[in-house]
Amino acid sequence: MTPVLSNEVAEALAQRRPVVALESTIFSHLGLPSPANAQALQQCLAAIRHAGCVPAVTAVIDGVVRLGIDESEHQRILGAARKVAERDIAVAVAQRWDFGATTVSAAVAIAASGGVSVFATGGIGGVHRGSEITGDISADLDAIAHYPVVTVSAGAKAFLDLPRTLEYFETIGVPVLGWQHDWFPAFYTRSSGIKIPHRVEGADEVAKILANRSRPNTGVLLTVPIPIEAELDATNLDHVLAQALSDCDAAGIRGAGVTPFVLGRIGQATDGKSVPANLALAQNNARVAAQVAVAICRLDH
């Protein structure tokens, strides 16, 4: 797979300037509702540019794998989409999908194929509760393990089996870092109560960790807690999650259907507060990712 680079991204890479990749699911109708999705796009792009980096939204558009899109194409990624995980990229190309919105696994794969070493997202997937029976483990984890990319996220969604997710990362050799924080974030909340394996204080540390890992094709997960002012109430969230997961089980919802169902329930139960929380964490992750991209470029030079 060789993604088509936008002119801006191609020029930045040729000049060895920092680039930050982004997924496109969050910006499509599969992610945040309109107009919050457009707001998220603008905020993430602005945060990356403010740090002196070039943003590179990943997507499949008209059957072409893209790394970086022009402003004139923004409306395309804000609308209807089909979700594209890494396994779906070849299908989306062969069948010439109008717009395939990339998940974490697809975005990481595309970023690595195009020579981009930093990727920002909201939250990653992980090991689902009950995976010992269902075998439901997000493809995000293997993608992070198999591509030399720093993935910056607000941890993993709280409805996942977070202890097993961290154990899985240990098994597949992915360094898990906490950005100025000691606890593994749970997306809408700053702490899951699980200690992070390694704390880092700045972007230069992250760049050196990427450069010195023992497996050159393995990525790094950098977890960044949601800003304090945007954090949702953990007690209320736990209750909502428990009920949503119970309803999921009763309805026979499995696999990829769990995430949108649970996130929808959270949105309803929090009177829409989950949307500004999403915006805040996505923008914050983009800001931190840009710092890391700058540090990697500085180290490479």
Side-chain angles (χ1 to χ4, degrees), residues 1-278:
M1 173 183 63
T2 303
V4 172
L5 311 182
S6 68
N7 291 336
E8 184 183 25
V9 170
E11 182 178 334
L13 291 174
Q15 296 175 356
R16 301 180 69 184
R17 291 189 285 118
V19 177
V20 175
L22 296 165
E23 61 160 289
S24 48
T25 292
I26 187 176
F27 308 128
S28 74
H29 84 293
L30 298 170
L32 289 167
S34 179
N37 60 338
Q39 185 179 351
L41 176 61
Q42 294 307 318
Q43 288 180 349
C44 288
L45 297 180
I48 292 168
R49 292 191 187 283
H50 182 73
C53 300
V54 171
V57 177
T58 60
V60 178
I61 298 177
D62 296 329
V64 177
V65 179
R66 303 285 296 277
L67 180 57
I69 63 170
D70 298 326
E71 187 174 352
S72 61
E73 297 174 299
H74 284 182
Q75 284 303 124
R76 291 287 300 275
I77 68 168
L78 294 175
R82 298 172 70 176
K83 187 175 287 190
V84 175
E86 183 185 6
R87 68 172 186 176
D88 306 313
I89 294 174
V91 178
V93 171
Q95 296 181 349
R96 294 190 58 81
W97 290 8
D98 290 340
F99 169 39
T102 50
T103 63
V104 169
S105 66
V108 168
I110 293 169
S113 297
V116 174
S117 56
V118 181
F119 161 66
T121 185
I124 61 168
V127 178
H128 281 254
R129 301 185 192 194
S131 63
E132 67 275 13
I133 298 172
T134 65
D136 193 355
I137 299 174
S138 171
D140 296 354
L141 307 190
D142 271 3
I144 293 170
H146 288 104
Y147 294 104
V149 174
V150 177
T151 294
V152 182
S153 82
K157 277 81 169 182
F159 56 83
L160 298 169
D161 189 329
L162 299 184
R164 286 189 175 180
T165 297
L166 280 172
E167 287 289 346
Y168 193 92
F169 274 128
E170 180 180 357
T171 299
I172 58 181
V174 173
V176 179
L177 314 176
W179 178 261
Q180 302 168 359
H181 199 60
D182 294 313
W183 305 96
F184 189 69
F187 199 60
Y188 290 125
T189 57
R190 292 176 60 82
S191 173
S192 63
I194 305 169
K195 196 77 179 289
I196 207 82
H198 305 287
R199 174 178 174 138
V200 293
E201 298 299 335
D204 288 336
E205 280 183 83
V206 180
K208 290 175 183 176
I209 289 168
L210 181 70
N212 288 285
R213 66 206 186 288
S214 59
R215 300 178 184 180
N217 290 322
T218 296
V220 172
L221 176 64
L222 176 61
T223 64
V224 181
I226 184 173
I228 294 175
E229 65 276 9
E231 183 179 24
L232 298 185
D233 179 73
T235 303
N236 181 52
L237 193 59
D238 286 344
H239 173 74
V240 173
L241 287 175
Q243 186 60 55
L245 289 170
S246 176
D247 292 345
C248 247
D249 190 54
I253 298 172
R254 299 284 185 273
V258 173
T259 297
F261 180 87
V262 174
L263 292 182
R265 285 296 185 86
I266 292 173
Q268 295 169 11
T270 59
D271 294 324
K273 290 180 182 176
S274 63
V275 172
N278 253 304

